[in-house]
Amino acid sequence: MNLLVLLAILSGLFLAIALSEPLAARLRLPVSVILAAVGIAIGAGASWFWTTTVTDALNPVALAILNLPISSGIFIYIFLPILLFQVSLTLNLRRLLDDWVPVLTLAVVAVIVATFIIGMAIAPFTSMPLIACFLLGSIVSTTDPSAVVSIFRATPAPQRLARIVEGESLLNDAAAIALFSVFLTAVATREAEPDIAAALWRLPWLIGAGAVVGWLIGRVGVVVMGWLAPWPLAQVSVSFAIAFATFLTTDQIVGASGVVAVVVAGMTVNFMAPGRISPPSAEQLRDSWDLMAYWAGGLIFVLAALLIPRALENLRPGDFGLILITVVAALVARAIILYAVLPVLTLTKLSPRVEPPYRLAILWGGLRGAVTLALALAVTESPSIFVEVKRQVGIVATGFVLFTLLVQGTTLRFVISLLGLDKLSALDRALSDQVVAVSLQEVRETVAETTRQLSLTPAIVRDEAVRFGDRLNRAVDKAEEARDVLERDRVTLGLVAMAGHERDLILFAFQDSLISARLADRMLADADRLIEATRVDGRHGYRVQARRSLQPGRMLRLAEQLHNRLRLNGPLATLTADRFELLVAHAQMLHSLASFVEGRILRIHGRRVAGLLHDLLKRRVEDAEREMEGLRTQFPGYAEELERRLIRRLVLRQEELEYDQMTQDGLIGPELRLALREETSTESSRLQKRPKLDLRVQRVDLVRAFPLFSGLDEDSLGKLAARMKTVYAKPGDVLMNKDERPNRVWFIASGAAEVEQAGQRLLLGRGEMFGQLSLLLRKSRRAKVSAVTHMTLLSLEEARFLDLLRRSPTLCAAVEASAEKRGVALDETVLPHGAPSEDPWLNRFRSAMRLRR
């Protein structure tokens, strides 16, 4: 084909894609419907112009369109990796991980149910073998996520529900294509009775191996992107290499699912990139992939639709029945998921409740599109498959896609309107009124200040001020006169607004480089959960979620166990530093919210609601300070380092803003600004690195601060610190159980513990020890010791403790004092009448006591 003609056709296709979006908005239809219609019209028009005798003027263009080198390989190896990687790259993974059980269940179960129900439904009415029917079922089980997700973006659907459906739609394609590969291989063998069970056994390998390869290539790619930090365009180029290299390596070399591998690689880059790619580079990366996905999504629909007229050339009357059966079976399979599987997940609290109107919208919104057509095209191109099988698969899949686009797609808006999903609830209407009123107040203050600076005509300013004031008063009255909104709903509205402002503060802090991308991602996810919990359960949901966001995660508890039992310090140091940084940033955000309540919420909802919000905010501040104090006692000095770093970043940011303003005012030239930017960039890069939390240094400092060890020199202190083990405990942890055999002594470096013995309770604090008497008496412990606060403890094994007694008179005195406090005379009880003991440890202790005296 002539290169100039090909470029002309591509230019026309890009223009058609660009015009489809505004046309779809005008006609209130999904964009995929418009793109498919454009492709069908172009394909049908080209066929008509080539065969008609009316005119030959457009024959060269028509022939070029009909001879476009469109094959399944273009869709599968070029367009599909781009679309899948882009969606994986932009997903909110932290929120998606909260719902990984329903997402994976729906993705895998939905594909399997649809494949087998459709295959069993059409098997009695076709001459194709059963495994070919299952192949067709896997082809039409893929859904177009854009249509389903657009339902929730256009309606006030719960965010969690929208997130689950979006994640399920993405993984649905991966699972369906993996299943398609299994059945395609089995059908291509042309066996009379292929073993379906044996074919399905390949599915775990396809998915598992694909996931592993995608994870490995994604990790390597992120490391390479980190090395290329000064060159953002090079980082974008590496990301494109990751997508295509992952697909080709997995599909052609490993023999696993390239689709699964690309999805996992995209998620890996999504999860790991924030800590290795700067915010501007990450934004450029996402923008580049958004553009590529926009082009790929449009071209795959248009080019696939171009083939529809050609695919239907061999249509027979009996094929209409197969298409109808496929449509009904697909709807039944989808209904089983929505009305049988989802309720089970809801009862087990793994999925949010899906109201009946949303179930119907999801059921009717399950459109099929370019992926289905591409897989059907792959079947028709395979030389190993029987001709009749290829014909029926191609026609039924194409007819099914046309039904979903032209019938379901065109009526989707009507169904949404009929179900009432396009109408705001009373609470959402009140929230809308509140947003308008608060925004207009801010506008009035800003415009008033601007008009004073512009020196406009006073009479005109007064007239416009009166006009705007009337509009503002109407908006405020409308927000206050919501009679159908109860006070508890007003509190909910205020809390939602406050949580939304908290989210804005996090974004501002991230844009000003005050917090890292990874921390911003974590805090934004917490803010989204806070908004969602408040909308669902009001004030109670807000309080529960606020507390939950401050609780240590499962990974931190696992890291503590690894440290306490296996002496692995790395994970605990990293996660503890993360938690320190989170709490420091969290405290700054909470203090900023008080002014928002006083300045915004008070004006709309009144003093009572504002007071309730202040109380809730005060509790959150107290909870955050309590958690921070617990960490301060465990790791003294580290929080102060983070606060110093935050102040320095604030100063640096203000310095950069001042230089920018002076450049805009023409006070300094661009050359000087460039030199100043290099200086601030160096300092900014240095401040981006978080102070290292060294647990070994912490242990030496803790030992040195103990009054019990004040008599030891620095060399002895260092050796003692090396022999001791640091243990971290949270409130409620049992440190010493009753009736345990003693083998070590515990020293409290920070926090407090409670000793329970014979019905009495005794508090132990910093600088005290426990377990020494049981060890010296060689008896089972008669007390139970539990942590009351966050604690840092140092433990010393029996032999080393007794050795320490011989060298530390201060420690001997403390042991004797604790024995006297509990009414235990060590000299008489341990060694009655001074007789030698058969126990060498007790003799060593007696020698230590004599030495002290």
Side-chain angles (χ1 to χ4, degrees):
M1 178 181 292
N2 188 290
L3 179 61
L4 296 180
V5 175
L6 180 61
L7 290 176
I9 294 174
L10 285 176
S11 300
L13 293 179
F14 276 115
L15 182 61
I17 293 170
L19 296 178
S20 295
E21 200 163 5
L23 181 60
R26 177 100 179 162
L27 299 177
R28 297 178 61 81
L29 293 173
V31 177
S32 55
V33 174
I34 301 299
L35 290 172
V38 169
I40 293 172
I42 293 175
S47 298
W48 184 83
F49 277 111
W50 177 249
T51 57
T52 186
T53 57
V54 176
T55 178
D56 295 334
L58 296 178
N59 277 6
V61 177
L63 182 61
I65 293 174
L66 293 175
N67 290 335
L68 280 175
I70 304 174
S71 66
S72 60
I74 293 177
F75 298 126
I76 295 175
Y77 290 100
I78 297 179
F79 294 140
L80 200 56
I82 294 176
L83 295 174
L84 294 174
F85 195 87
Q86 185 268 339
V87 176
S88 303
L89 196 64
T90 55
L91 278 176
N92 189 337
L93 277 186
R94 195 175 294 276
R95 298 302 315 276
L96 191 63
L97 288 175
D98 294 341
D99 298 302
W100 68 272
V101 174
V103 168
L104 284 181
T105 301
L106 290 176
V108 176
V109 173
V111 168
I112 294 176
V113 169
T115 298
F116 284 92
I117 286 183
I118 294 171
M120 296 301 295
I122 64 176
F125 305 97
T126 178
S127 59
M128 293 190 300
L130 181 60
I131 198 164
C133 297
F134 289 148
L135 174 65
L136 177 59
S138 66
I139 290 173
V140 301
S141 64
T142 61
T143 58
D144 176 20
S146 60
V148 181
V149 174
S150 66
I151 297 174
F152 300 104
R153 291 178 180 172
T155 61
Q159 293 183 16
R160 188 182 178 199
L161 178 59
R163 185 172 58 252
I164 288 176
V165 172
E166 185 173 10
E168 180 264 336
S169 298
L170 170 66
L171 299 181
N172 173 286
D173 282 353
I177 295 175
L179 201 59
F180 163 81
S181 301
V182 170
F183 289 129
L184 181 64
T185 303
V187 172
T189 60
R190 293 195 176 191
E191 295 180 6
E193 294 183 1
D195 190 345
I196 297 177
L200 289 176
W201 272 112
R202 292 188 59 239
L203 188 60
W205 159 256
L206 292 176
I207 296 176
V212 171
V213 173
W215 179 75
L216 289 175
I217 296 180
R219 281 188 64 90
V220 173
V222 170
V223 172
V224 174
M225 293 169 71
W227 293 340
L228 299 174
W231 303 279
L233 292 179
Q235 291 177 324
V236 175
S237 302
V238 171
S239 69
F240 281 107
I242 292 173
F244 292 107
T246 300
F247 194 94
L248 292 174
T249 301
T250 310
D251 186 78
Q252 297 296 316
I253 300 177
V254 180
S257 173
V259 174
V260 173
V262 169
V263 170
V264 173
M267 290 182 174
T268 304
V269 175
N270 185 355
F271 189 78
M272 297 182 61
R276 294 166 174 82
I277 300 177
S278 65
S281 299
E283 184 176 358
Q284 186 171 7
L285 179 68
R286 286 190 294 268
D287 290 342
S288 300
W289 275 101
D290 288 343
L291 179 61
M292 291 298 296
Y294 176 75
W295 287 341
L299 286 173
I300 193 173
F301 256 105
V302 174
L303 293 177
L306 279 173
L307 304 176
I308 289 180
R310 198 183 314 171
L312 297 178
E313 288 178 352
N314 298 322
L315 182 66
R316 300 173 185 172
D319 295 330
F320 288 102
L322 290 178
I323 294 173
L324 182 61
I325 293 171
T326 304
V327 169
V328 174
L331 291 174
V332 170
R334 194 69 172 166
I336 290 174
I337 299 298
L338 293 171
Y339 292 95
V341 178
L342 266 183
V344 174
L345 295 178
T346 302
L347 288 176
T348 55
K349 297 183 179 180
L350 295 175
S351 172
R353 174 177 170 79
V354 184
E355 300 297 335
Y358 287 109
R359 295 188 196 183
L360 287 174
I362 296 173
L363 177 64
W364 194 247
L367 308 185
R368 271 64 168 181
V371 175
T372 299
L373 293 176
L375 297 181
L377 182 61
V379 174
T380 60
E381 291 176 352
S382 175
S384 303
I385 299 178
F386 291 112
V387 175
E388 182 59 20
V389 172
K390 293 193 289 187
R391 188 194 71 81
Q392 291 193 32
V393 168
I395 287 177
V396 173
T398 303
F400 181 70
V401 169
L402 285 176
F403 178 88
T404 62
L405 292 175
L406 302 181
V407 178
Q408 293 177 236
T410 56
T411 58
L412 188 56
R413 289 282 181 180
F414 173 74
V415 171
I416 291 175
S417 178
L418 192 66
L419 296 172
L421 297 180
D422 56 347
K423 298 179 179 61
L424 294 176
S425 64
L427 188 61
D428 288 318
R429 286 196 302 270
L431 179 60
S432 175
D433 295 338
Q434 174 194 355
V435 169
V436 172
V438 172
S439 300
L440 290 181
Q441 289 184 32
E442 183 69 23
V443 169
R444 181 179 64 177
E445 296 171 0
T446 303
V447 172
E449 179 65 26
T450 304
T451 52
R452 280 195 298 269
Q453 296 176 357
L454 294 177
S455 301
L456 299 174
T457 305
I460 296 177
V461 172
R462 286 194 299 271
D463 183 62
E464 289 300 314
V466 171
R467 178 175 173 273
F468 187 83
D470 292 339
R471 181 187 173 194
L472 175 59
N473 291 334
R474 289 194 299 271
V476 173
D477 292 340
K478 188 176 180 182
E480 292 180 345
E481 292 175 0
R483 302 182 184 276
D484 54 340
V485 179
L486 302 175
E487 182 177 290
R488 67 170 181 269
D489 291 333
R490 287 183 176 276
V491 173
T492 299
L493 289 174
L495 290 174
V496 169
M498 188 167 69
H501 185 64
E502 182 176 346
R503 194 180 194 282
D504 294 337
L505 290 175
I506 296 168
L507 287 173
F508 293 149
F510 171 64
Q511 292 168 1
D512 290 341
S513 299
L514 299 180
I515 58 177
S516 64
R518 189 177 298 280
L519 178 59
D521 183 51
R522 163 75 186 276
M523 296 182 70
L524 287 173
D526 288 338
D528 289 338
R529 294 189 190 99
L530 196 62
I531 294 172
E532 188 174 330
T534 305
R535 293 180 66 90
V536 173
D537 204 14
R539 178 167 47 174
H540 175 71
Y542 182 91
R543 292 179 60 183
V544 171
Q545 183 56 46
R547 290 197 194 99
R548 188 175 297 160
S549 65
L550 291 177
Q551 293 175 354
R554 290 188 296 269
M555 294 302 296
L556 182 59
R557 290 193 289 270
L558 177 60
E560 289 179 349
Q561 294 296 321
L562 291 175
H563 172 270
N564 293 343
R565 297 184 179 182
L566 303 179
R567 320 316 304 167
L568 297 177
N569 296 336
L572 179 61
T574 300
L575 293 175
T576 302
D578 288 344
R579 183 160 174 76
F580 259 119
E581 193 174 15
L582 172 67
L583 290 174
V584 169
H586 193 75
Q588 310 309 315
M589 301 299 166
L590 292 179
H591 287 298
S592 300
L593 288 177
S595 59
F596 174 78
V597 174
E598 196 66 30
R600 299 291 189 92
I601 303 298
L602 179 63
R603 299 180 184 180
I604 302 301
H605 294 295
R607 189 162 299 279
R608 176 173 172 77
V609 174
L612 289 172
L613 265 61
H614 272 303
D615 290 341
L616 289 173
L617 197 56
K618 182 180 178 181
R619 293 180 185 178
R620 288 189 65 189
V621 171
E622 292 173 351
D623 292 340
E625 290 177 348
R626 190 181 307 112
E627 292 292 329
M628 176 60 79
E629 188 59 31
L631 284 180
R632 286 181 192 272
T633 57
Q634 287 184 307
F635 309 96
Y638 190 74
E640 287 74 10
E641 287 295 320
L642 290 178
E643 290 174 354
R644 290 179 186 276
R645 173 171 169 256
L646 177 62
I647 293 173
R648 291 169 184 172
R649 294 172 84 168
L650 277 169
V651 170
L652 186 63
R653 179 56 182 165
Q654 290 301 317
E655 183 181 351
E656 291 177 340
L657 291 175
E658 185 66 23
Y659 292 153
D660 290 340
Q661 186 61 47
M662 294 177 73
T663 304
Q664 294 175 7
D665 294 341
L667 299 177
I668 60 176
E671 296 83 3
L672 179 56
R673 179 66 188 100
L674 182 61
L676 294 173
R677 182 178 288 115
E678 290 180 357
E679 295 179 6
T680 56
S681 297
T682 302
E683 181 65 13
S684 177
S685 299
R686 190 181 67 82
L687 291 176
Q688 290 289 339
K689 298 178 181 178
R690 188 173 59 192
K692 185 178 180 181
L693 177 60
D694 193 334
L695 299 182
R696 290 173 295 181
V697 174
Q698 291 274 332
R699 185 170 58 204
V700 175
D701 293 338
L702 291 173
V703 172
R704 185 180 292 111
F706 255 89
L708 295 176
F709 309 136
S710 58
L712 300 178
D713 55 34
E714 283 297 318
D715 184 60
S716 298
L717 284 173
K719 292 179 179 178
L720 178 61
R723 294 173 179 177
M724 282 185 158
K725 293 182 179 179
T726 310
V727 176
Y728 301 101
K730 60 182 182 298
D733 284 353
V734 177
L735 306 173
M736 190 173 76
N737 276 311
K738 190 176 180 180
D739 298 327
E740 279 186 353
R741 294 294 298 176
N743 62 355
R744 63 183 57 245
V745 178
W746 299 83
F747 300 87
I748 301 176
S750 65
E754 181 183 70
V755 181
E756 183 180 353
Q757 181 177 1
Q760 296 183 350
R761 297 177 185 273
L762 173 68
L763 282 179
L764 299 178
R766 180 179 179 181
E768 297 190 82
M769 58 181 166
F770 59 89
Q772 74 279 4
L773 297 181
S774 298
L775 185 146
L776 293 172
L777 295 173
R778 308 295 293 170
K779 294 182 179 180
S780 298
R781 289 162 175 161
R782 294 180 295 173
K784 175 184 176 182
V785 184
S786 304
V788 178
T789 65
H790 290 281
M791 298 184 67
T792 301
L793 302 108
L794 299 173
S795 70
L796 192 61
E797 294 179 351
E798 181 181 42
R800 289 172 176 172
F801 171 69
L802 293 173
D803 182 64
L804 180 63
L805 279 175
R806 291 189 292 107
R807 295 185 292 112
S808 175
T810 305
L811 183 60
C812 285
V815 172
E816 190 174 29
S818 66
E820 293 175 358
K821 185 177 180 180
R822 292 165 174 77
V824 178
L826 287 178
D827 282 346
E828 297 179 1
T829 304
V830 176
L831 299 175
H833 309 293
S837 171
E838 295 179 359
D839 193 331
W841 301 118
L842 299 182
N843 285 325
R844 290 176 66 181
F845 175 72
R846 190 167 187 265
S847 299
M849 295 294 292
R850 287 175 176 170
L851 178 63
R852 185 180 71 82
R853 292 192 179 99

